[in-house]
Amino acid sequence: MDSSAWDTRYASTPGLVWSAEPNRFVVESVTGLTPGAALDLAAGEGRNAVWLAEQGWRVTAVDFSPVAVARGRELAAGRDVPVEWRVADVTAYRPVPGSYDLVLISYLQLPADDLAGVLAAARQALRPGGSLVVVGHDLANLTGGTGGPQDPAVLLTPEAVVDGLAGLHIRRAETARRPVSTTDGGTVDALDTVVVATRPAD
């Protein structure tokens, strides 16, 4: 989907399309890190960016949907935390190298070539000792999970993400289960790729 399609999706939905709460794997991966400068690529409505700001991170959030960014600003204002918002396509966005202690990519589902470019920019944006967290719908979710895109070309695997992180120390790379509530009060599992990597200290 392009930015105008996402604008339409966000604008046609009262309230937030996604939860205002941060992704569980983002929380797991970031808890315990010393807050510094963070970059949230494809931040959507800002749930993770705002949570990071609440933990003391200085957050820059980037998304190509002006409607999503406007909602992110509202969410941050409502929680009384500062976040720097930028409207930009992350496939073309190039952060200043060596500027961030944390880079987050959460549910950015792209074809392999586009994702490789984003991963390369994210890797270069890290300061020595900085962490990169990637979470997304896993290819295995097509047959073993629920929800998410149904196009295998935009689904992730831990191996494909790790292949784009040359030079980083891989701390976690797995297909993880994420419980999703059902209408009858039960839960089913979605399958997500979760990769956490660190740039070695110089």
Side-chain angles (χ1 to χ4, degrees):
M1 295 173 71
D2 60 18
S3 59
S4 61
W6 276 109
D7 279 343
T8 300
R9 180 173 181 180
Y10 286 124
S12 64
T13 305
L16 296 172
V17 173
W18 316 113
S19 166
E21 299 307 310
N23 174 263
R24 60 186 294 148
F25 299 123
V26 173
V27 174
E28 287 176 12
S29 302
V30 172
T31 297
L33 297 179
T34 301
L39 176 64
D40 186 356
L41 294 172
E45 297 167 300
R47 60 181 183 143
N48 293 314
V50 169
W51 178 80
L52 286 170
E54 289 176 327
Q55 310 312 305
W57 292 86
R58 300 183 306 279
V59 185
T60 300
V62 182
D63 199 274
F64 68 176
S65 166
V67 175
V69 167
R71 290 195 173 178
R73 287 194 175 104
E74 291 175 4
L75 183 62
R79 301 274 188 90
D80 195 27
V81 291
V83 176
E84 180 182 353
W85 301 94
R86 296 183 183 176
V87 177
D89 184 339
V90 297
T91 63
Y93 182 73
R94 293 295 177 263
V96 177
S99 295
Y100 294 96
D101 303 289
L102 172 68
V103 178
L104 170 63
I105 302 171
S106 178
Y107 299 100
L108 175 63
Q109 311 294 149
L110 293 173
D113 288 347
D114 288 335
L115 181 63
V118 175
L119 290 175
R123 187 179 71 238
Q124 293 165 6
L126 288 175
R127 290 174 176 157
S131 296
L132 172 62
V133 177
V134 181
V135 180
H137 299 288
D138 194 281
L139 181 61
N141 196 59
L142 278 179
T143 54
T146 185
Q150 300 300 296
D151 179 2
V154 301
L155 297 175
L156 306 181
T157 66
E159 295 79 11
V161 173
V162 168
D163 282 349
L165 302 181
L168 301 188
H169 171 67
I170 306 301
R171 293 166 38 206
R172 179 181 183 182
E174 64 175 300
T175 298
R177 294 184 174 273
R178 172 173 48 87
V180 177
S181 298
T182 59
T183 55
D184 61 4
T187 62
V188 294
D189 285 342
L191 300 179
D192 288 344
T193 288
V194 182
V195 175
V196 183
T198 304
R199 178 179 170 183
D202 290 347

